[in-house]
Amino acid sequence: MSALSPEKPRILALFDVDGTLTVPRGEITAEMLDFMKELGKMITIGIVGGSDLPKQEEQLGARIVSMFPWNFSQNGLVAYKNGELLEVQTIAKHLGEDNVKRLVNWVMKYLSEIDIPIKRGTFIEFRSGMFNISPVGRNCSRPERDDYEKFDLEHNIRKIMVEAMKKEFADLDLTFSIGGQISFDVFPRGWDKTYCLRFLSSDDFDEIHFFGDKTFEGGNDYEIFSHERTNGHTVTSPDDTKEQCTKLFMSSDCK
C-alpha cells in the first residue's frame, strides 16, 4: 500500500506514461520519480497507461502498483488500488475467438502487402484488453523507432491502416487509437483510457486532472483528455509535465 498521505487527497492527477513521465518506451529518470513522490505528498496520484503491467514496470519500476494510490495498465482493464488488484478484463472473452482470428489474419495479410523502409518483428501484440499493432514491428531498435516515426508522420501509414480497419471491422464496434511512435491500439468502444474512470467515484474527488501527450483527436489520450469528468492537460515531455504540475499543485499560490 502507498505510504503517501497527500495534503489534498480530493484532487487526483492521472498521468499517461510514454511522452508524459518518460521518453517513449524509456525508463523514468530518478529525478522525475523523485518529483512524482513529492507531488504525491500534495495530491492523489494515479498512473493510466495503454501498455500491459510488465511494460509499465519496466518503465516506472517494479513496485509501481504500490508506489501511488491508483494504477491502471491497459487503460484500466487491469486496475490496482493501493497495490491491490481490483479487476482484469479480456478482449478475447469480449470478442470471441472467431473474431480474434479474423482480425489477426487480416492484419498479417495487410502488413505483408505494405512497403515501408524496414520491418522487424512483433507486428501484433495481444494484450488482455487490446491488440497493439505495429507496421514496423515492436522489436525495432530505438534509432529504427525514431526513423519510423518520421516516416509515418510523412506517409500516414498508421492512419491509412486504421481507416481500412474501421471499414473491415465495422460490425465489431471497435476503437482505434494511435499512440507512441510506432503502433496503434485496437479495443472495444469504451475501453479507452476513460475506462479507468469507472473506478474513481465522484464522491471521492473534487477534481480529476489528466496529463498526456497524445491528446489530439485519434490519439490514445484524447477520450480521457476531453472527458467531462477531467481537466485535461497536454504535455510535450516529462520536463513539461513537471513544470505544469509544479505551477498547478506546488506553487505558493496553490497552498
Side-chain angles (χ1 to χ4, degrees):
M1 179 178 293
S2 173
L4 299 176
S5 299
E7 293 182 17
K8 300 177 180 179
R10 294 185 62 83
I11 297 178
L12 170 65
L14 298 171
F15 295 88
D16 170 48
V17 180
D18 279 352
T20 301
L21 298 179
T22 74
V23 297
R25 291 301 304 138
E27 296 180 7
I28 193 169
T29 64
E31 180 184 6
M32 188 66 185
L33 188 57
D34 287 343
F35 173 79
M36 292 297 292
K37 290 178 179 177
E38 287 300 310
L39 181 62
K41 296 177 182 179
M42 301 296 299
I43 61 173
T44 303
I45 288 179
I47 308 298
V48 53
S51 294
D52 58 23
L53 183 57
K55 285 188 175 61
Q56 197 179 103
E57 290 174 331
E58 287 176 12
Q59 292 182 265
L60 303 178
R63 296 179 58 252
I64 191 57
V65 297
S66 56
M67 192 173 297
F68 301 111
W70 294 94
N71 181 278
F72 305 105
S73 55
Q74 299 188 64
N75 294 345
L77 299 176
V78 180
Y80 282 84
K81 180 181 180 181
N82 294 324
E84 296 184 2
L85 182 64
L86 297 179
E87 179 180 294
V88 177
Q89 179 61 272
T90 68
I91 193 172
K93 181 170 63 176
H94 180 81
L95 292 181
E97 192 57 42
D98 286 345
N99 282 321
V100 170
K101 290 189 292 184
R102 173 187 162 203
L103 189 146
V104 169
N105 290 341
W106 187 95
V107 168
M108 295 306 294
K109 184 176 187 295
Y110 183 97
L111 292 179
S112 74
E113 296 172 351
I114 63 170
D115 184 24
I116 57 178
I118 65 167
K119 292 182 181 180
R120 293 299 181 250
T122 312
F123 301 100
I124 305 178
E125 187 171 80
F126 179 81
R127 302 172 181 172
S128 64
M130 69 181 72
F131 298 95
N132 179 264
I133 298 170
S134 174
V136 68
R138 296 191 65 86
N139 289 354
C140 62
S141 67
R142 183 167 296 280
E144 290 168 342
R145 172 185 289 265
D146 294 339
D147 289 343
Y148 175 79
E149 181 182 29
K150 296 174 185 176
F151 182 85
D152 188 81
L153 288 171
E154 181 178 354
H155 297 280
N156 294 315
I157 300 300
R158 289 181 290 176
K159 287 183 179 179
I160 292 171
M161 185 174 180
V162 162
E163 289 306 312
M165 291 189 73
K166 285 180 178 178
K167 294 178 182 177
E168 181 69 24
F169 300 103
D171 59 306
L172 298 185
D173 198 25
L174 299 172
T175 294
F176 301 83
S177 184
I178 296 173
Q181 296 175 290
I182 63 169
S183 65
F184 61 93
D185 296 328
V186 182
F187 45 86
R189 190 175 306 278
W191 286 23
D192 51 61
K193 288 181 180 174
T194 62
Y195 191 93
C196 76
L197 296 177
R198 66 186 61 195
F199 300 103
L200 305 170
S201 172
S202 56
D203 293 335
D204 295 333
F205 301 103
D206 298 323
E207 300 175 19
I208 299 179
H209 296 260
F210 172 78
F211 296 83
D213 65 321
K214 295 293 189 297
T215 58
F216 52 87
E217 188 167 4
N220 66 352
D221 296 326
Y222 174 75
E223 289 83 4
I224 190 168
F225 169 81
S226 58
H227 195 274
E228 61 182 8
R229 289 190 61 199
T230 66
N231 298 314
H233 307 273
T234 303
V235 300
T236 58
S237 67
D239 285 342
D240 188 34
T241 301
K242 183 178 178 181
E243 181 178 348
Q244 290 196 39
C245 286
T246 299
K247 291 179 180 177
L248 278 169
F249 307 121
M250 304 174 78
S251 69
S252 57
D253 292 340
C254 299
K255 296 180 180 179

